[in-house]
Amino acid sequence: MDCEKVGKLISKLRKEQNMTQKQLASRLNLSDKTISKWECGLGCPDVCFLNDLSNIFHVNIEKLLLGDLSPKDTDGGNMKRVKFYICPECGNLITSTSDTEVTCCGRKLTAQKPQKADEEHKIDVSFVEDDFYITFHHPMTKQHYLMFLAYVTCDRMILTKLYPEQSPEVRFPRLRGGKFYYYCNRDGLWME
């Protein structure tokens, strides 16, 4: 841990929130001299203060320890670059259009890698009126089911959450140039 970098970051974050050293010290039940010491790089916060600092400044503890909140390069948010993060504990679904740090239930999540559809994980797409009508032969039991089905184009994503014992059919508005993504709770992310 580079105390100088951490101190500069704490100073920057404190000033962004229009707080004085004394105000920050008061929230942490410390002296303002301790905050000054941190900001000058003459010491680092003890582990017991990291969670409070993270909550006060709304930053990730890991980034606080690195002393770096460098912004990512902008990528324009093209939806065709969508990444799906699924929590193995609670089934929470998070999406992003670029690499990001995502945690849920105390675990760091990695983006799911889509696989090309095989026979067991194939969907059937037909047209009804102005909609895609999607059916699938995948089991929808409590132990083995599709969690969601999404249609992704360059500027939008339409996602339907699926549940065990649900009817194996979904309708989406018909748009051009998209791909279908769907997630099997046992076998991962698929794409067609």
Side-chain angles (χ1 to χ4, degrees), residues 84 93 121-125 132-138 140 146-152 157-163 166 168-172 179-184 189-190 192:
F84 297 91
L93 166 65
H121 295 93
K122 189 136 182 76
I123 60 173
D124 297 315
V125 181
F132 288 118
Y133 179 66
I134 300 109
T135 57
F136 43 92
H137 303 286
H138 192 282
M140 291 300 282
L146 293 182
M147 288 179 60
F148 71 84
L149 197 130
Y151 184 63
V152 180
M157 175 173 56
I158 304 168
L159 188 138
T160 297
K161 178 81 169 99
L162 302 171
Y163 298 94
Q166 179 177 344
E169 59 186 4
V170 177
R171 281 177 77 154
F172 288 140
K179 291 182 182 175
F180 292 99
Y181 292 87
Y182 41 101
Y183 184 79
C184 170
L189 186 65
W190 300 86
E192 213 170 294

Side-chain angles (χ1 to χ4, degrees), residues 75-88:
D75 65 0
N78 186 329
M79 292 303 292
K80 284 191 175 181
R81 294 187 191 122
V82 70
K83 295 177 183 349
F84 297 91
Y85 298 83
I86 293 102
C87 178

Side-chain angles (χ1 to χ4, degrees), residues 3-15 19-22 24-25 32-45 57:
C3 290
E4 192 172 320
K5 285 175 76 175
V6 171
K8 285 181 182 176
L9 180 60
I10 289 172
S11 176
K12 176 182 179 242
L13 294 170
R14 177 182 59 77
K15 290 172 183 171
M19 292 175 74
T20 65
Q21 288 180 344
K22 189 170 190 124
L24 178 58
D32 56 338
K33 287 182 174 46
T34 303
I35 304 301
S36 177
K37 184 177 163 185
W38 293 348
E39 291 183 0
C40 291
L42 301 175
C44 282
F57 296 134

Side-chain angles (χ1 to χ4, degrees), residues 138-139 141-147 164 183-188:
H138 192 282
T141 66
K142 290 182 180 180
Q143 295 76 31
H144 189 201
Y145 63 97
L146 293 182
M147 288 179 60
Y183 184 79
C184 170
N185 73 319
R186 191 175 74 189
D187 301 318

Side-chain angles (χ1 to χ4, degrees), residues 85-94 103-104 109 147:
Y85 298 83
I86 293 102
C87 178
E89 294 298 316
C90 69
N92 194 11
L93 166 65
I94 300 120
T103 60
C104 188
L109 304 180
M147 288 179 60

Side-chain angles (χ1 to χ4, degrees), residues 95-128:
T95 62
S96 174
T97 57
S98 65
D99 289 327
T100 189
E101 293 180 19
V102 178
T103 60
C104 188
C105 296
R107 298 174 187 258
K108 191 178 274 191
L109 304 180
T110 56
Q112 296 288 313
K113 302 273 189 254
Q115 308 166 68
K116 279 291 208 186
D118 61 11
E119 283 306 311
E120 185 183 357
H121 295 93
K122 189 136 182 76
I123 60 173
D124 297 315
V125 181
S126 58
F127 306 104
V128 173

Side-chain angles (χ1 to χ4, degrees), residues 15 28 46 58 61 70 73 82 85 130-131 142 152 168 177 188:
K15 290 172 183 171
L28 296 170
D46 193 69
H58 308 289
I61 291 175
S70 302
D73 295 334
V82 70
Y85 298 83
D130 287 334
D131 291 342
K142 290 182 180 180
V152 180

